[in-house]
Amino acid sequence: MIRRDRLTDAVLDLVRLDSHSKQERPVAEYLVRALSDLGAQVRVDDAGVAVQGDTGNVVARLEGTAPGAPPLLLSAHMDTVAPGQSVKPVREPDRIRSDGTTILGGDDKSGIAIILEVLRALKEREVPHGAIEIAFTICEEIGLLGAKHLDYAALRSKDAIVLDSSNSAQLVTAAPSSDHFTFTVHGLEAHAGMCPENGISATRVAAEAIAAMPLGRVDAQTTTNVVIVDGPKATNVVPNFCVVRGEARSLDDARLDEIMRTIRAAFTDAAAGAKITLGGEVRRAWIEEQCEREYHSLRVPSDAPIVQLVKRAGQALGTTIQTITIGGGSDANVHNRQGITSVNLGTGMRDIHTVNEWIDLDDFYRSAEIVLECVKERAAV
Ligand SMILES: [Zn+2]
């Protein structure tokens, strides 16, 4: 029932449209047309205003034709990472790849194309289905911003399939919470050659803190990373500030809180050790901190109806689908937090966020068949 030629054409169309984060409008316009042609109610929400982008999320609803079948949310994101402009996809017999100068944008246009093809197949074959709600989000790649501004009160679905991971035989049911942090160490400036003893090096305090904090893979569920260290550029002045940015992730929220306390302590301890007495007055380094939870963990139990539905659909098509945990967030984290039980099914995308990105066509087609089967099964229950 999935028309492979049409599905392939759709993804080729989509990857040719530029859509860096906050600049998704060409894709949004394409999707508004495509969804309207399918008879769905379509709107573009206000998320674009909130994030200062050129479009909001595209949100649509296709009314159900099977009485009593529960609604289902299908979701994928419109934005792509850089370099993602003027993508020239190369079609090979078993794959679509980029020409090597840009990403391909199969992340996540493969997911969008699958959703469109499922809707087209349903309509063409007059397959009975429950209501289908669709959220094509903006700015997923820069902090799940579109999903964070989605109007969940307008959605009726209690379950969602997000199409935004790699392998169609794998279903993401667990992903971490993530904290972003910035610690600014304040020291004391002094001439580095004449009187360094009158200064407190913020760089040194930061270095001690970084050396003391847990970094990399902390345990099976937890990772941390420090990405930017910034401060004054002059080498002849003892630096009076140093900015350290980083992130911590864990599948376990309590563990993440604990790791953040450890990181914070590394800074405060290092600062406490950096003090001097100047003119009878004690001077100390001090720390300024900003920390926010970028997103909350995803944890869907294996007996959840949506997990069982996807597994049954795979089985019906001869594919054993495994549930997996991944180390990164997706819109599924946000949907789930808002009370819609969400899983993330692979679409065939490969080597994402690199100029070697490609789509495995067999896997891509299989993913579309699985989603269609899920919709059919749900109407049959
Ligand atoms: Zn993605």
Side-chain angles (χ1 to χ4, degrees):
M1 285 179 48
I2 293 294
R3 273 186 39 195
R4 296 181 168 193
D5 53 340
R6 186 170 57 190
L7 174 55
T8 308
D9 287 346
V11 80
L12 287 169
D13 279 354
L14 283 160
V15 300
R16 288 188 180 105
L17 299 172
D18 290 348
S19 61
H20 279 167
S21 303
K22 299 192 183 185
Q23 298 165 34
E24 302 91 342
R25 185 185 284 205
V27 173
E29 287 176 347
Y30 175 98
L31 292 174
V32 167
R33 271 196 307 278
L35 291 164
S36 302
D37 288 349
L38 281 159
Q41 304 156 27
V42 194
R43 65 192 174 86
V44 176
D45 72 11
D46 293 335
V49 179
V51 306
Q52 296 179 309
D54 67 2
T55 180
N57 301 307
V58 174
V59 183
R61 180 183 175 89
L62 191 67
E63 287 306 334
T65 58
L72 177 66
L73 174 65
L74 299 177
S75 173
H77 66 89
M78 297 187 284
D79 63 319
T80 58
V81 297
Q85 268 161 340
S86 304
V87 171
K88 291 172 194 67
V90 178
R91 170 80 208 267
E92 292 177 351
D94 60 348
R95 67 177 64 192
I96 298 169
R97 61 174 174 85
S98 83
D99 68 358
T101 62
T102 65
I103 56 139
L104 176 63
D107 175 12
D108 188 22
K109 287 160 179 173
S110 56
I112 296 176
I114 286 168
I115 294 171
L116 286 181
E117 176 56 29
V118 166
L119 300 180
R120 286 171 175 151
L122 290 172
K123 185 154 179 163
E124 191 170 70
R125 302 293 183 106
E126 297 178 356
V127 180
H129 59 85
I132 298 178
E133 294 181 309
I134 297 132
F136 291 135
T137 59
I138 58 171
C139 297
E140 190 271 350
E141 301 285 6
I142 56 171
L144 319 178
L145 298 183
K148 285 177 184 172
H149 289 92
L150 198 62
D151 178 11
Y152 286 93
L155 298 175
R156 293 286 161 267
S157 302
K158 292 280 162 252
D159 301 299
I161 301 174
V162 173
L163 281 301
D164 189 18
S165 55
S166 179
N167 192 318
S168 72
Q170 293 180 331
L171 187 68
V172 178
T173 55
S177 291
S178 174
D179 281 356
H180 272 193
F181 58 77
T182 302
F183 286 93
T184 304
V185 180
H186 294 274
L188 190 63
E189 68 182 353
H191 194 290
M194 309 278 197
C195 53
E197 50 280 284
N198 290 352
I200 299 173
S201 169
T203 309
R204 182 185 177 127
V205 173
E208 286 176 358
I210 292 169
M213 74 173 68
L215 260 187
R217 174 156 306 281
V218 180
D219 59 42
Q221 307 202 66
T222 313
T223 58
T224 68
N225 193 32
V226 170
V227 288
I228 293 178
V229 177
D230 197 10
K233 300 294 180 278
T235 59
N236 60 352
V237 183
V238 175
N240 66 345
F241 76 97
C242 185
V243 182
V244 179
R245 291 185 56 204
E247 61 152 54
R249 305 181 189 212
S250 183
L251 295 169
D252 179 341
D253 282 11
R255 179 74 175 129
L256 183 55
D257 292 341
E258 186 186 325
I259 286 296
M260 281 310 304
R261 282 196 294 276
T262 308
I263 292 173
R264 193 172 295 121
F267 280 94
T268 49
D269 290 352
K275 63 175 179 183
I276 59 168
T277 305
L278 261 190
E281 194 187 338
V282 177
R283 308 290 296 267
R284 297 170 200 275
W286 58 282
I287 307 293
E288 202 180 341
E289 177 197 336
Q290 279 177 300
C291 176
E292 70 173 344
R293 184 135 308 172
E294 194 192 8
Y295 49 81
H296 291 266
S297 60
L298 173 73
R299 202 180 275 274
V300 179
S302 56
D303 61 355
I306 188 68
V307 176
Q308 293 301 316
L309 176 71
V310 176
K311 284 190 157 190
R312 274 200 312 278
Q315 220 68 59
L317 297 165
T319 301
T320 302
I321 297 179
Q322 286 185 324
T323 56
I324 61 164
T325 297
I326 56 168
S330 75
D331 285 346
N333 291 54
V334 185
H335 299 337
N336 205 61
R337 177 94 183 157
Q338 294 288 338
I340 301 176
T341 308
S342 303
V343 292
N344 183 348
L345 181 67
T347 67
M349 62 172 89
R350 299 283 188 271
D351 295 331
I352 61 164
H353 297 201
T354 78
V355 295
N356 302 317
E357 186 186 354
W358 56 289
I359 294 170
D360 180 319
L361 288 173
D362 274 344
D363 205 16
F364 179 50
Y365 301 146
R366 193 175 312 119
S367 178
E369 279 156 8
I370 292 167
V371 177
L372 178 61
E373 185 65 25
C374 286
V375 173
K376 286 163 67 180
E377 273 240 6
R378 214 166 148 89
V381 173

